[in-house]
Amino acid sequence: MTLWLKARRPAVLAAGILVFAALSTAVGGRLVGLPSLSGTGTTTVPLLLFVPLAVCAGLLLCLDSGAQAAEITGARHIATYDRCLTALTGATAVGSAALAAVLRDAPVAVAAGRNALFLMGLALCVRAAWGSGVGMLVAAGWVVMVTLVGYDAYRTPRVWAVLGLAPGDVAGIALAGCCFAAGLGVLGRSTAGRRLR
Amino acid sequence: MLIRTMVRTSSVPWAAGPLFLLVWYMSDDLGRRVVPAYWESASSIPAYCLFAIAPVCAACAAWEAGRLKRGGVAQLGAARAQVMVVAQALAPVALLGLAAVTGSFLTVRVSMGSALDWPSVSVIGMITVVLAAHMLLGFVVGYALPRLLAPALILVLDYLWMTLPPTFDTMWVRHLTGHLETGLPVTDRINPDSVIAPAVVAAGIAAAGLLVALTSGRRRMAAALAGVLGIGLGGLAGQHLVADWGPSAPALARTDQPACAGKKPEICVPRELASVLPELEGASAAVLPRLADAGIPAPQRLSTASTATRVGPETWRVYASPYLTEDDARAEIAEAALPDLPDCLAHTDAYVGDPLPLRVWLLLAGGVPDDVVTEHYGPDALPAMAGVRAQSEEKQLDWFRRNLNLLKQCEPSPETQAIVR
């Protein structure tokens, strides 16, 4: 396990989580007007939507470190270790987002933790099929897409987009949880797309 | 290498579908809102779409750079020169940007329905330089950062650079991105500096990107330093051009000849609105004599002029749109009797008077039907003016002049507070 931990370069992951926590605290509940395709041409979205990408990038860089070929043929439970690491990362992201919400007195910042879970799950699912590069791009593309079509003309977030939903929205929490669980589930099967990395 | 092979081996086909769909939707939507046939205004739509096109091109270029880096092309004894390797990797990305911009122009042309002249060459030039800059920047970022990170990072950062500046309190930043505002009035032309400033900034970025992309080894560090200098110089030059601007570029009036009709008064509108001249002529014949009876003498000229030009007392500034009905034309002619008022709210948040009652009075004095007045100014407009209209013509004219003078001096005019649209 020590070798696995060294190979995963935990410092990269820690940097991703730190950037996420710092940006969540710095941005707080700040809203920005971005172009939208929903009626009015512009929609006001929380700048916080973009922040979970930091922890997502840290996790993917971390999971892609190490000797992949040796891990595939090895007898150690690498996939289980990776799942534990990912789950721990998710919990840390949720915790740091909650802390940021308290520090900035911006309840909306709690949603950054849920969004981090959703984006990590999405990136891991895509990674299993097409590799980490595409996984990260899809996560970034999803955030951009949410700013464009994730809200209706009355600025109500669409449920399927997840990221714009209120922190306590049950559907949002359920979707993010399912996506993260799916990401954890496919972690051991990420060999197919590795040639595309 | 065949262009087909270059496209097939690149990331461009993956990005093309969503990008084209997005650009088509935005161009069609915005194209329906511009004054038909006015290319100067319509040309800003493809530039507006740059907020989507530029980041996608930058991300594709970063992906291609990562592909070359992973293949170790720079370290191999390649038969082709470095510049050719880079050019062949970026050719499909450039094609993607070109196709998206061309598609945007074509969609706008179809949505407008008609067109005079051609799209603005200066805007096309600016779009080209901005796209090239973003592409080269993406390529450099792709070479410098891990392949996993670079395309996603440049996609998001580029998107934020194009879309966030309008939310900044520092106004000049938004004029450096090339993401032009749409909705240029038909009376105005594009301010050249709004095209030159982003082009200058982009040229600095492009030069920096080119320097870094075409060098390798130890020379790359020197190239990077020169690149930073280039970006700084471009940024300074661009900022100098737009430093004093507000949220929008200063308006510039068109210099081409308008379409005119009639003698007394002569009615002039931009060429694109020539089709509404008969409606305006008919409306002026009906409205102006009634206004003259009410004490407002007819002008020598009715002109759809830019707010950037001053008009004399003998010229009334009339608003015209391509969808003007006969009733609208009457209302516009009557409203045109209200002279230009100072921008009283420019320096204060205090109440500075409301010209709406004067407009309503002008419409009623000009014989505009009550239902049209209600349609333009709401159901409270007529009851609120009942007291004024019940007075003699002399007293009504006194009321109008007194309140007009107050409004010209940015003084609150209590008698005009009653109507809220």
Side-chain angles (χ1 to χ4, degrees):
Chain A
M1 192 169 172
T2 316
L3 285 175
W4 164 82
L5 194 61
K6 277 185 183 170
R8 284 290 176 266
R9 294 194 296 170
V12 174
L13 179 58
I17 293 172
L18 273 178
V19 170
F20 169 73
L23 286 179
S24 298
T25 312
V27 170
R30 186 174 175 190
L31 300 171
V32 289
L34 295 180
S36 163
L37 303 186
S38 313
T40 52
T42 304
T43 193
T44 312
V45 300
L47 191 54
L48 213 59
L49 285 186
F50 294 91
V51 175
L53 290 172
V55 70
C56 204
L59 178 70
L60 291 184
L61 280 169
C62 173
L63 291 175
D64 271 22
S65 304
Q68 306 286 350
E71 287 177 9
I72 292 166
T73 55
R76 291 188 178 89
H77 301 292
I78 300 295
T80 310
Y81 296 162
D82 283 345
R83 284 194 186 108
C84 291
L85 179 74
T86 306
L88 187 66
T89 307
T92 313
V94 171
S96 50
L99 187 66
V102 172
L103 287 175
R104 288 298 305 270
D105 195 19
V108 74
V110 177
R114 180 205 59 203
N115 293 348
L117 291 185
F118 176 77
L119 290 175
M120 279 190 281
L122 180 69
L124 289 174
C125 289
V126 176
R127 174 181 182 260
W130 291 292
S132 295
V134 183
M136 191 59 220
L137 252 182
V138 167
W142 187 275
V143 178
V144 171
M145 184 191 69
V146 168
T147 66
L148 289 170
V149 294
Y151 294 82
D152 66 14
Y154 303 101
R155 232 202 121 245
T156 309
R158 300 185 202 276
V159 175
W160 59 261
V162 180
L163 304 189
L165 295 171
D169 190 281
V170 178
I173 294 170
L175 283 170
C178 288
C179 196
F180 189 64
L184 283 177
V186 297
L187 247 183
R189 301 184 212 161
S190 50
T191 52
R194 286 193 175 161
R195 60 196 167 83
L196 284 170
R197 268 190 300 118
Chain B
M1 199 189 295
L2 286 171
I3 188 73
R4 203 170 61 180
T5 311
M6 283 190 251
V7 171
R8 188 172 52 78
T9 54
S10 82
S11 55
V12 162
W14 292 80
L19 179 65
F20 289 161
L21 192 66
L22 183 63
V23 167
W24 167 79
Y25 181 86
M26 285 189 299
S27 304
D28 182 56
D29 187 39
L30 295 169
R32 290 173 195 277
R33 301 183 205 174
V34 296
V35 172
Y38 188 39
W39 259 126
E40 190 89 356
S41 171
S43 295
S44 59
I45 294 174
Y48 178 85
C49 292
L50 272 180
F51 84 86
I53 303 171
V56 170
C57 285
C60 286
W63 185 275
E64 296 310 311
R67 201 163 58 84
L68 292 183
K69 193 169 71 169
R70 189 162 189 243
V73 173
Q75 285 76 42
L76 298 172
R80 288 169 293 159
Q82 177 80 353
V83 64
M84 281 306 292
V85 173
V86 173
Q88 289 190 346
L90 289 182
V93 184
L95 268 181
L96 175 73
L98 186 70
V101 172
T102 309
S104 178
F105 273 111
L106 288 174
T107 309
V108 169
R109 171 65 184 83
V110 172
S111 302
M112 278 202 304
S114 59
L116 296 173
D117 302 329
W118 293 92
S120 165
V121 176
S122 59
V123 174
I124 294 175
M126 184 272 286
I127 290 174
T128 309
V129 178
V130 168
L131 274 184
H134 285 254
M135 202 169 66
L136 286 165
L137 187 69
F139 191 83
V140 170
V141 170
Y143 240 112
L145 294 178
R147 192 181 182 192
L148 187 157
L149 201 58
L153 187 74
I154 195 74
L155 176 75
V156 169
L157 290 185
D158 211 355
Y159 179 72
L160 290 177
W161 162 246
M162 296 299 283
T163 55
L164 269 192
T167 66
F168 294 168
D169 292 334
T170 312
M171 299 291 177
W172 54 264
V173 187
R174 70 188 64 187
H175 301 296
L176 299 181
T177 62
H179 179 219
L180 293 185
E181 272 187 328
T182 58
L184 183 76
V186 69
T187 52
D188 294 353
R189 61 191 165 95
I190 289 178
N191 191 316
D193 285 348
S194 69
V195 176
I196 294 170
V200 168
V201 175
I205 296 170
L210 207 60
L211 270 174
V212 178
L214 296 182
T215 51
S216 55
R218 289 177 186 174
R219 283 186 298 174
R220 180 161 281 174
M221 185 53 77
L225 288 174
V228 170
L229 189 68
I231 292 173
L233 285 176
L236 274 177
Q239 195 268 350
H240 178 71
L241 288 172
V242 298
D244 303 328
W245 289 11
S248 301
L252 285 183
R254 288 173 67 169
T255 51
D256 56 343
Q257 284 298 313
C260 295
K263 289 288 179 197
K264 282 189 176 177
E266 183 186 34
I267 304 172
C268 292
V269 295
R271 291 183 303 150
E272 291 77 9
L273 299 177
S275 61
V276 299
L277 277 173
E279 276 86 2
L280 288 172
E281 274 191 291
S284 68
V287 170
L288 293 180
R290 284 171 176 266
L291 283 177
D293 291 345
I296 312 286
Q300 295 292 321
R301 198 166 189 249
L302 285 164
S303 171
T304 303
S306 166
T307 52
T309 52
R310 287 190 167 212
V311 292
E314 286 303 311
T315 301
W316 289 2
R317 197 191 296 277
V318 65
Y319 172 80
S321 86
Y323 313 106
L324 209 64
T325 63
E326 198 175 320
D327 285 338
D328 290 338
R330 285 184 177 206
E332 296 302 342
I333 298 275
E335 268 192 42
L338 195 72
D340 289 347
L341 295 171
D343 182 12
C344 298
L345 287 172
H347 306 293
T348 177
D349 289 331
Y351 180 73
V352 288
D354 187 352
L356 278 185
L358 304 192
R359 293 184 201 279
V360 175
W361 183 82
L362 285 169
L363 262 65
L364 294 170
V368 177
D370 287 359
D371 58 329
V372 179
V373 176
T374 304
E375 189 185 320
H376 275 72
Y377 290 107
D380 296 334
L382 289 174
M385 290 302 294
V388 177
R389 293 289 290 167
Q391 297 173 16
S392 67
E393 288 191 350
E394 289 77 21
K395 284 190 174 176
Q396 287 187 48
L397 191 60
D398 282 347
W399 172 88
F400 176 78
R401 287 181 175 156
R402 187 170 62 248
N403 281 294
L404 182 60
N405 284 332
L406 287 169
L407 289 171
K408 281 180 177 173
Q409 295 157 29
C410 295
E411 294 288 337
S413 47
E415 289 168 279
T416 64
Q417 283 188 30
I419 298 177
V420 178
R421 195 178 183 180

